[in-house]
Amino acid sequence: MSMALLARRAAPTDPDSIEVPDLRADPRLVPAEQLLAAFSAKSYELARDRKILVTEHALRDVPPDSKSTGAEALRDQLRRLKSEDPAVPAAPPADPDIPNKTILDGLAVVKGGAFTPPMDYAAQLAAIDRQIDVLNLAINAQTEIVDRIFDELTYEAARQLQPAWNQIQ
């Protein structure tokens, strides 16, 4: 019986001796999950940038010395948003074998390519919204890949554990 994913062979009568593999450490899954994390982090950063833009736009006609509750709340929100510094994980380099255009588009957004922010407010919002849409599609596509890889690893591990499990039942 081959137990390639297991650190040691399981004793058939001792359930505590069955060592379950760490599927998250598999080299087939790690890069896929890293890319998914990069997409999610960039999407969060863009959502924050959008909130900053909307808040600045809301404050554009408010006098700087206004003490109104609404103005103070907006200024506090803007300070909080601008003080956040979300770290975007470095995306793995694009694998030339990635056939999925959606994921390649998401990777371009993460790397900061192909999108330049326009000058007016509406165009800036539209550009951010387009990037968020691209990333949401990329997140969905990459999640499917991560799930498929994880399912394959789980199935492999289950097949390897099944004989030992059947013997202790």
Side-chain angles (χ1 to χ4, degrees), residues 24 29 53 66-67 90 110-111 116 139 150:
R24 295 279 178 205
L29 185 62
L53 191 61
S66 173
K67 300 291 185 194
V110 168
K111 290 183 174 184
T116 54
I139 286 168
F150 192 76

Side-chain angles (χ1 to χ4, degrees), residues 27-111:
R28 294 170 286 178
L29 185 62
V30 171
E33 285 192 323
Q34 287 173 339
L35 185 55
L36 181 58
F39 287 161
S40 296
K42 185 64 175 181
S43 181
Y44 176 83
E45 180 187 13
L46 286 169
R48 181 189 60 104
D49 290 349
R50 187 180 197 291
K51 288 176 188 174
I52 288 171
L53 191 61
V54 168
T55 305
E56 287 174 340
H57 186 73
L59 283 169
R60 76 187 183 291
D61 295 327
V62 176
D65 57 346
S66 173
K67 300 291 185 194
S68 75
T69 305
E72 288 298 317
L74 286 172
R75 285 190 200 100
D76 287 344
Q77 178 181 355
L78 189 58
R79 275 191 292 278
R80 183 184 50 78
L81 288 168
K82 285 185 172 184
S83 70
E84 289 179 13
D85 190 23
V88 176
D95 181 351
D97 294 334
I98 295 176
N100 190 319
K101 181 180 175 346
T102 302
I103 293 172
L104 290 173
D105 288 346
L107 192 57
V109 171
V110 168
K111 290 183 174 184

